Amino acid sequence: ELVSSQRAFCAVKRDGSVVTWGDPNSGGDSSKVQHQLRRVQKVVSSYDAFAAILLDGSVVTWGDERSGGDNCQSHLRSVQEIAASGAAFAAILADGRVETWGDDRYGGDCSSVKAQLLDVQTICGSAGAFAALRRGGQVTTWGGADYGADSSRVQGQLKKVQQIHSTFHAFAAILENGSVVCWGDADSGGDCSSVSDQLVDVLHISST
């Protein structure tokens, strides 16, 4: 597996070890945590940091501290999935709760919606916000307002959501009936009203 940040690469080898290269300020130097990077299962990246999930469900991070690479997540256990924004990470635990870290302006602080973040199935990140899909098809969003964190305009429509996708500044959700709900910056795809009559029986969404 090969993962990239803005200016660095991370390769996950067959034996679960990791090799990094590129700009040290963008995660290209993992030497400080190399001894911890064993039995790596998955690596995700923000703009300038990486986060690795190990086989035991713990997490190791490195890179720019402001982008979530401060490696202060040693308390995390049973991590199932990690999503990234431009400068923050969000981890789903085995019990469906969520832990976040990184720049608060980019979704690194989920305290305002913590009570809603239960039974989370998956999380999608834009450049500066997160959208969590909960069991039952409800959606909770947080992070930077300019990046799609405010879903209040469409929250009443976000029922029985099956998938969530993102651009840099917006989100799009596919509902159980195949229709699509969008929110965020209109110029980044956050307004699909002009094609809403065509967005029926949608199976998948791709974004630039």
Side-chain angles (χ1 to χ4, degrees), residues 81-86 88 90 106 122-132 142 147 164-171 207:
E81 176 186 325
I82 295 178
S85 69
Y106 291 78
T122 188
I123 296 176
C124 180
S126 68
F130 292 102
W142 71 96
Y147 300 99
I164 303 174
H165 302 272
S166 67
T167 61
F168 263 41
H169 294 268
F171 292 94
S207 63

Side-chain angles (χ1 to χ4, degrees), residues 40-154:
V40 172
Q41 299 298 292
K42 179 75 174 178
V43 175
V44 298
S45 65
S46 63
Y47 288 161
D48 292 310
F50 293 96
I53 304 176
L54 308 190
L55 185 63
D56 63 2
S58 60
V59 174
V60 177
T61 64
W62 68 96
D64 185 2
E65 294 184 359
R66 297 167 298 180
S67 293
D70 56 8
N71 200 34
C72 293
Q73 292 71 48
S74 59
H75 63 287
L76 290 181
R77 293 292 181 270
S78 303
V79 172
Q80 304 297 296
E81 176 186 325
I82 295 178
S85 69
F89 294 97
I92 303 175
L93 309 186
D95 61 5
R97 293 182 298 112
V98 172
E99 295 287 342
T100 59
W101 65 94
D103 193 322
D104 294 354
R105 299 168 299 173
Y106 291 78
D109 180 5
C110 65
S111 58
S112 63
V113 295
K114 191 80 168 180
Q116 301 175 46
L117 293 173
L118 304 172
D119 295 323
V120 173
Q121 304 296 293
T122 188
I123 296 176
C124 180
S126 68
F130 292 102
L133 178 58
R134 293 147 49 205
R135 189 184 305 277
Q138 296 89 17
V139 175
T140 298
T141 57
W142 71 96
D146 293 337
Y147 300 99
D150 183 4
S151 57
S152 57
R153 177 178 60 84
V154 297

Side-chain angles (χ1 to χ4, degrees), residues 1 11-18 39-41:
E1 181 185 21
V12 181
K13 299 172 63 176
R14 194 183 306 276
D15 63 0
S17 62
V18 163
R39 306 178 79 184
V40 172
Q41 299 298 292

Side-chain angles (χ1 to χ4, degrees), residues 160-183:
K160 297 184 178 180
V161 173
Q162 304 296 297
Q163 302 175 36
I164 303 174
H165 302 272
S166 67
T167 61
F168 263 41
H169 294 268
F171 292 94
I174 302 177
L175 308 190
E176 186 179 58
N177 64 5
S179 62
V180 174
V181 177
C182 301
W183 68 96

Side-chain angles (χ1 to χ4, degrees), residues 2-11 26 43-47 49-50:
L2 189 62
V3 183
S4 63
S5 63
Q6 283 195 124
R7 298 182 301 276
F9 288 100
C10 172
S26 197
V43 175
V44 298
S45 65
S46 63
Y47 288 161
F50 293 96

